[in-house]
Amino acid sequence: MLVEMAVAAIRASRLTKDYGSGHGLFDLDLQVSPQEVFGFLGPNGAGKTTTIRLLMGLIHPTSGGAYVFGLDSGRDAVEVKRRVGYLPGDVPEFGSLRGSEVVAYLGGMRGRIDRPTVRALAERFDLDLNRRFREYSSGNKQKLAIVLAFMHRPELLILDEPTSGLDPLNQQEFYALLQETRDAGATIFLSSHVLSEVERVCDRVGILRSGRLVKVAQLDELRHIRVHQVEIEFAPGSEVPESRLRSTLGLEDVKVDGNVVTCSVHGSFDGLLHAIAGSKVTNLVSTEPSLEELFLSFFDEPRPKALPS
Amino acid sequence: MTSLLFGLRLSRWGITGFSLLALVLTFVQTVGFYQIAGHTPGGRAAFGASMTRLAAQLVVLFPPPLRPDTVEGYVQFRGFQPLVILFAIWALASATGFARGDEERGIVEFALAAGVSRPALVASRAAGFGLALLVASAAAGAGFVIGVATGGESVRAPGLIEACILLVAVGIACYALALLAAQLATARAAPALAGALLLVLFLANSLGRVFDWLSTWRWLSPFHYYELSQPLPPGGYFDVRGLMVPLAVAVAATAVAALAFIRRDLGAPLVRLPSGPHRLSRDATNIPLWRVPVLRGLYERRLGLLAWSAGMAALAAIFVALTKTIVEVLLSLPALLPYLSIFIHQQLYPAVLGYTYFDVAELMFAALAITYVARWSAEDTDGRLELVLSEPVSRAGVVLERMAVLVVAGIVIAAVSGLTLSYASHQAGIDLSSQRVIAASAMLVPFALVFAGAGSLLAAWNPRAALALVGAFAFASYLDNELATIYKLPAWVHDLSAFKLFGTPLLTGVDNRSLALMLLLALAGLGSSILVMQRRDVGA
């Protein structure tokens, strides 16, 4: 009996795109399984969009190969794109076309338009398709791009920073849509530079730095990477639990200035909450560091001039 | 000052391109004069007479020349007069590009946010364009001076300076009028409205030379004031009104445009047309044309196609109406009768229509192809091609569909204009061969495809440079046709010009060899553009 092995939704084999001067993508080996939500994380210029364009067959690799459902994304580009929904990093200009016409135009290229799905997506994101593209705000343009990527219910979604420009409510709606799409059997590959976003929606995360994949992590591992800068203000006259804070695992760089404490929280907040339990806290501010700062602390990268020491 | 420098920085390619164009045009025409007319008085007199004949046919475009038997008179007619039209087109593109294009791109918003007032922004851009015109006009003058030096003669400086200043004056007046018109309409309609205004003003003046009823309106046109002077030729004259009126128009129109800009919202027109209540929709449009390859491209460009068809039809009707007048003018010149006798027996009208209407139609179809190339380049650079290629369509399919859209659009426009030409000729009592009209109109399509093929290749190779390069290619093709005979270039070099290959189909029918060559050039461009498109990176 012949046992058919599951073909990877995405496979990159020593995939390289060299733009010169150290820019591009180098020796990417990656595999994404069907029905997986894979996040591609990296700061600006790390090579996320280059990877996505290579997967879409829009640019040609310098060496190596990119495969989607076992098909060569360059040679079999048309067949690949039949099975893929794509959301580009920058929504292109459609000038005076109405949203409904953009949908019909690009949907027409696929041969048919799944009208109920289009309607459901437009309603879900409260997108008026009767407006002209040039009248759309940047958020509405992004919503239209989401409709275009999801409207034919593809097996694989390749999304380049899909939540950029969306307000928080629509971001939540988008995360819910991702969940439903994955539950319906689709594979999702998305790029982001927001750690909490990929942590929220992805099963696995690839971390890209200067064109090279530095880590592929499961969600649990990602939580160890996660760092928050916290500032806690205690009520005037109340006791600051300094010794408990300093002895709590996962809290680092604890500094006390009067009734204000600052520290870094690595991973879970449980330890911090336990340490301050019973104290009168008047204010607590938690800030997620930028990816640049995260890379500096986690991967011990050289510090750019723009960042404070 | 910063706004002025920023404006100049933004238009550096326009300044470079039009300055080069002006330099090459006047230089080539000057050198061409020495090549054709020679250096003997007899040769020059004969050449001047032939130029007078040509000018009579082109009276609808350019005023009659003064002393075309001299290099100054010839270059005033063949160099500086066409530059007026080119500078008006530049003014149109530049004014609407600033007034609405930069606004759409957010550049105007940034400038205003930086503390520049609206009047100051308008004034700085207008002044910047004035400086740009000065540079380009000086380049035109330099081309003439260098050309004259090759002929071993000298230039009368005051006349040349006056000719250059007049170019600046009419150019800045066109800029200001286009700027004002652009304030009134939406971003989408602004170029069309401003273009229509300049076209009407141009035609009011040029047709006013032929139609008496229009002559009373010529004073409205800045082009009319340019014609009040012919300072370059010996015995030429300079009318100070030709300088002052366009400058006054420029100042007044710029001031009104600034006022309009103050009063309107950013991104909105000054005049808002009332629209019906907005109907919310969550559906894709039901129009089935969007699903059909080629038809979807035509449907998207339907307004443009309508405008091109109507414009070409109007041109055909106007040229037919002019033909009788032109022929009467030609017949009234006793010196031309021996020359015209060649065309007796019904050949005169096809000859005149062939040399006037179809010459203009060639330019229009070249422009049509260039606008399509501009569109292809824009689709590439603004990311639309990337999104299209994320659909299950091949790159070759995209290139072929683009070209097919142009072919069908060209056929529609050629058919509408050809039918109008036939109908108007019949109404005017001009007997034209229907077959020849069909053949000549149809020839415009492969003619446009030569430029489209080259443009397709350039857009596939380097979309950002494609528009400038295909424009240069069209100009080179035009010059090739103009200069091949003068410089006795090899036949194969002359054959590379689509303008030469088009021939005179209304008069002599279609030359199958030329048609085959045009199709071959177009196919070569198309085939190579498919190959280049397959190999290149999109969106990178």
Side-chain angles (χ1 to χ4, degrees):
Chain A
M1 186 177 148
L2 191 68
V3 179
E4 194 175 302
M5 288 180 64
V7 177
I10 289 174
R11 185 166 69 84
S13 171
R14 300 194 65 78
L15 185 61
T16 299
K17 180 69 182 181
D18 190 352
Y19 288 118
S21 311
H23 296 294
L25 182 76
F26 304 95
D27 296 322
L28 176 71
D29 284 309
L30 183 70
Q31 191 153 320
V32 177
S33 306
Q35 294 191 48
E36 187 177 13
V37 181
F38 190 90
F40 214 42
L41 195 64
N44 293 331
K48 301 186 298 290
T49 299
T50 298
T51 306
I52 282 176
R53 285 180 172 154
L54 284 164
L55 291 172
M56 290 298 297
L58 294 168
I59 59 177
H60 302 283
T62 308
S63 62
Y67 307 91
V68 173
F69 296 118
L71 300 163
D72 186 302
S73 60
R75 202 177 52 237
D76 308 313
V78 174
E79 186 53 39
V80 164
K81 285 176 285 194
R82 248 184 255 288
R83 304 170 72 174
V84 175
Y86 174 58
L87 190 154
D90 294 309
V91 185
E93 282 300 316
F94 284 96
S96 56
L97 288 190
R98 294 181 191 280
S100 61
E101 291 175 324
V102 177
V103 170
Y105 175 62
L106 290 167
M109 289 185 171
R110 290 191 175 270
R112 63 177 286 274
I113 299 163
D114 184 346
R115 290 181 178 278
T117 304
V118 170
R119 199 174 304 125
L121 287 165
E123 275 170 8
R124 182 168 197 159
F125 288 99
D126 191 25
L127 177 65
D128 181 2
L129 290 173
N130 202 26
R131 292 234 175 258
R132 293 191 187 281
F133 185 85
R134 65 159 47 105
E135 295 171 358
Y136 281 146
S137 65
S138 56
N140 279 331
K141 286 176 183 171
Q142 192 69 10
K143 290 178 190 176
L144 179 66
I146 291 171
V147 172
L148 295 173
F150 284 78
M151 67 181 182
H152 55 285
R153 294 191 286 181
E155 293 170 68
L156 169 66
L157 282 141
I158 296 180
L159 313 169
D160 194 357
E161 300 191 6
T163 55
S164 81
L166 290 185
D167 61 41
L169 281 177
N170 280 297
Q171 282 184 16
Q172 301 305 317
E173 200 58 55
F174 179 73
Y175 298 147
L177 175 66
L178 281 186
Q179 190 66 46
E180 291 164 26
T181 308
R182 197 272 293 272
D183 292 346
T187 309
I188 296 163
F189 182 93
L190 69 90
S191 77
S192 176
H193 55 251
V194 183
L195 184 60
S196 58
E197 179 173 282
V198 292
E199 190 184 64
R200 174 167 186 164
V201 298
C202 297
D203 303 317
R204 276 197 310 152
V205 174
I207 298 174
L208 203 61
R209 175 73 172 171
S210 302
R212 293 187 186 276
L213 187 68
V214 291
K215 191 171 184 63
V216 176
Q218 299 287 340
L219 260 189
D220 288 347
E221 293 178 73
L222 197 64
R223 292 208 173 93
H224 292 300
I225 297 173
R226 191 176 184 187
V227 180
H228 283 87
Q229 297 296 324
V230 176
E231 185 182 286
I232 311 158
E233 190 178 339
F234 293 91
S238 67
E239 188 191 348
V240 175
E242 184 175 350
S243 58
R244 265 187 291 162
L245 286 167
R246 288 193 187 282
S247 61
T248 300
L249 275 177
L251 294 196
E252 288 179 9
D253 303 327
V254 178
K255 288 174 188 155
V256 181
D257 182 10
N259 62 332
V260 176
V261 174
T262 57
C263 60
S264 305
V265 179
H266 289 254
S268 164
F269 272 73
D270 290 350
L272 172 68
L273 295 175
H274 185 73
I276 61 173
S279 302
K280 286 189 177 174
V281 175
T282 54
N283 196 16
L284 191 152
V285 179
S286 170
T287 315
E288 190 177 23
S290 70
L291 272 185
E292 293 289 349
E293 291 167 312
L294 184 78
F295 274 106
L296 290 175
S297 62
F298 190 81
F299 296 107
D300 201 22
E301 294 266 335
R303 182 175 292 275
K305 284 180 187 168
L307 289 173
S309 56
Chain B
M1 190 63 184
T2 309
S3 288
L4 177 67
L5 293 175
F6 185 58
L8 287 172
R9 170 80 173 74
L10 285 174
S11 49
R12 65 194 184 284
W13 290 115
I15 298 170
T16 310
F18 276 93
S19 298
L20 270 175
L21 193 68
L23 182 104
V24 171
L25 186 63
T26 51
F27 174 74
V28 163
Q29 294 296 355
T30 309
V31 174
F33 175 83
Y34 292 123
Q35 290 282 333
I36 314 170
H39 291 270
T40 62
R44 289 191 176 186
F47 177 71
S50 70
M51 270 303 106
T52 305
R53 287 196 293 272
L54 178 71
Q57 292 175 27
L58 297 175
V59 70
V60 72
L61 285 177
F62 306 119
L66 181 68
R67 296 293 307 276
D69 57 324
T70 63
V71 68
E72 295 91 345
Y74 176 74
V75 174
Q76 174 90 58
F77 176 59
R78 297 278 284 176
F80 281 81
Q81 293 285 1
L83 274 179
V84 172
I85 298 175
L86 287 173
F87 281 12
I89 293 169
W90 182 22
L92 170 68
S94 194
T96 54
F98 156 57
R100 308 316 296 255
D102 285 0
E103 200 168 288
E104 288 228 307
R105 286 191 291 273
I107 295 172
V108 170
E109 200 171 332
F110 266 112
L112 296 179
V116 181
S117 71
R118 293 187 184 209
L121 187 61
V122 170
S124 66
R125 287 300 190 86
F129 188 73
L131 285 175
L133 278 170
L134 263 178
V135 173
S137 300
F144 178 63
V145 169
I146 298 166
V148 168
T150 65
E153 297 184 2
S154 60
V155 175
R156 200 173 57 87
L160 180 60
I161 292 168
E162 286 165 357
C164 291
I165 288 175
L166 284 171
L167 274 181
V168 176
V170 73
I172 194 71
C174 290
Y175 180 89
L177 289 168
L179 193 63
L180 175 57
Q183 307 297 323
L184 307 176
T186 60
R188 189 185 181 198
L193 180 68
L197 173 68
L198 291 187
L199 183 65
V200 165
L201 290 173
F202 178 80
L203 291 177
N205 175 57
S206 60
L207 296 181
R209 284 193 288 268
V210 181
F211 298 119
D212 283 343
W213 60 271
L214 255 178
S215 60
T216 49
W217 297 99
R218 292 180 70 189
W219 65 273
L220 282 170
S221 171
F223 301 98
H224 167 65
Y225 296 96
Y226 180 80
E227 288 177 27
L228 294 179
S229 308
Q230 292 222 38
L232 207 51
Y237 46 87
F238 178 75
D239 189 328
V240 75
R241 282 180 303 159
L243 178 65
M244 299 313 290
V245 173
L247 286 180
V249 167
V251 170
T254 305
V256 178
L259 280 175
F261 188 34
I262 291 168
R263 289 189 66 84
R264 74 178 172 89
D265 293 338
L266 215 56
L270 181 69
V271 183
R272 275 182 189 275
L273 296 174
S275 57
H278 179 77
R279 190 178 57 80
L280 185 141
S281 168
R282 309 283 194 209
D283 274 323
T285 178
N286 284 319
I287 296 167
L289 292 175
W290 288 109
R291 290 198 294 275
V292 186
V294 183
L295 289 186
R296 60 187 165 218
L298 287 168
Y299 184 71
E300 190 185 350
R301 294 165 179 81
R302 60 195 180 279
L303 290 179
L305 183 58
L306 196 67
W308 272 98
S309 302
M312 285 300 297
L315 267 180
I318 289 170
F319 272 96
V320 168
L322 286 169
T323 295
K324 283 216 152 183
T325 315
I326 291 170
V327 168
E328 280 166 20
V329 171
L330 290 172
L331 291 173
S332 69
L333 299 171
L336 296 186
L337 280 175
Y339 169 78
L340 296 175
S341 63
I342 302 165
F343 300 116
I344 300 298
H345 303 301
Q346 305 302 323
Q347 286 297 298
L348 186 52
Y349 289 115
V352 172
L353 267 175
Y355 284 117
T356 55
Y357 168 69
F358 276 101
D359 272 6
V360 174
E362 280 177 76
L363 290 174
M364 296 301 287
F365 269 69
L368 175 74
I370 291 171
T371 61
Y372 271 68
V373 173
R375 175 67 177 261
W376 300 337
S377 303
E379 284 179 356
D380 208 323
T381 51
D382 70 15
R384 183 163 162 175
L385 179 65
E386 182 181 342
L387 203 58
V388 166
L389 287 177
S390 74
E391 303 299 329
V393 290
S394 68
R395 294 181 182 213
V398 170
V399 173
L400 286 171
E401 185 173 343
R402 283 171 167 180
M403 195 63 88
V405 171
L406 174 60
V407 170
V408 178
I411 289 171
V412 170
I413 298 166
V416 171
S417 56
L419 281 171
T420 310
L421 187 74
S422 273
Y423 177 76
S425 305
H426 181 71
Q427 290 297 104
I430 298 173
D431 188 20
L432 292 180
S433 154
S434 300
Q435 281 187 333
R436 290 273 171 87
V437 171
I438 292 168
S441 301
M443 277 288 276
L444 290 167
V445 179
F447 171 81
L449 288 183
V450 174
F451 299 105
S456 180
L457 173 61
L458 292 165
W461 171 63
N462 186 343
R464 288 185 196 281
L467 182 58
L469 291 176
V470 77
F473 172 70
F475 184 58
S477 182
Y478 178 77
L479 278 186
D480 182 14
N481 186 43
E482 291 277 300
L483 303 179
T485 320
I486 298 170
Y487 291 104
K488 300 180 176 58
L489 298 176
W492 68 268
V493 175
H494 200 183
D495 280 350
L496 288 177
S497 169
F499 290 91
K500 191 266 178 177
L501 294 176
F502 183 80
T504 52
L506 193 65
L507 191 64
T508 56
V510 171
D511 175 19
N512 288 330
R513 180 178 160 277
S514 296
L515 175 61
L517 268 174
M518 280 201 281
L519 291 173
L520 194 67
L521 285 171
L523 282 173
L526 179 64
S528 51
S529 66
I530 289 173
L531 288 177
V532 172
M533 183 62 105
Q534 300 280 16
R535 297 176 67 88
R536 71 170 277 236
D537 291 341
V538 172

